[in-house]
Amino acid sequence: MHATHRLDATFAALADPTRRAILARLASGQASVTELAHPFAMSQPAISKHLRVLERAGLVSRGRDAQRRPRRLEAKRLAEATKWLDRYRRFWEGRGWRSCWRQPRGDQ
């Protein structure tokens, strides 16, 4: 997958609050679909759909542990998104940020 498409898939996956919550949970360690579905008021198949989006974006991978297929966070794609955002953070912290928020003058 091309870098631009990977970044698009990452941000699309991160746009959903349920998927962000799943990633937050996986940041503390791998978990099964059942474990991931527990705090949400949705079915296990619905959680599985969210997981497929996260897997396609490269944010989550599926392991194999006997009968279980635990999911785990893959930080590489998050690092790519952070690197992309970091370029703009430097802009925002510089004079670019101030010019974006300049107050309109009264004579306009």
Side-chain angles (χ1 to χ4, degrees), residues 5 16 24 32-33 58 75 81 90 104 107-108:
H5 296 297
D16 185 273
S32 69
V33 175
R90 289 192 301 271
D107 60 333
Q108 293 180 342

Side-chain angles (χ1 to χ4, degrees), residues 22-32 35-36 70-73:
I22 290 170
L23 291 177
R25 165 53 186 88
L26 291 174
S28 66
Q30 65 183 19
S32 69
E35 292 167 333
L36 292 169
R71 298 327 197 270
R72 66 180 147 266
L73 181 64

Side-chain angles (χ1 to χ4, degrees), residues 2-84:
H2 188 270
T4 301
H5 296 297
R6 285 194 316 260
L7 197 58
D8 291 346
T10 297
F11 284 120
L14 293 173
D16 185 273
T18 300
R19 291 193 286 267
R20 290 193 306 270
I22 290 170
L23 291 177
R25 165 53 186 88
L26 291 174
S28 66
Q30 65 183 19
S32 69
V33 175
T34 304
E35 292 167 333
L36 292 169
H38 181 69
F40 300 101
M42 62 179 65
S43 67
Q44 193 169 330
I47 291 293
S48 292
K49 287 181 183 182
H50 284 292
L51 286 168
R52 281 194 293 279
V53 172
L54 292 168
E55 287 172 5
R56 281 194 302 270
L59 296 166
V60 170
S61 65
R62 186 184 317 195
R64 185 174 208 138
D65 181 20
Q67 299 296 322
R68 294 180 61 223
R69 294 192 185 277
R71 298 327 197 270
R72 66 180 147 266
L73 181 64
E74 295 294 335
K76 183 177 180 180
R77 294 290 185 257
L78 288 174
E80 290 173 357
T82 300
K83 183 178 177 181
W84 185 86

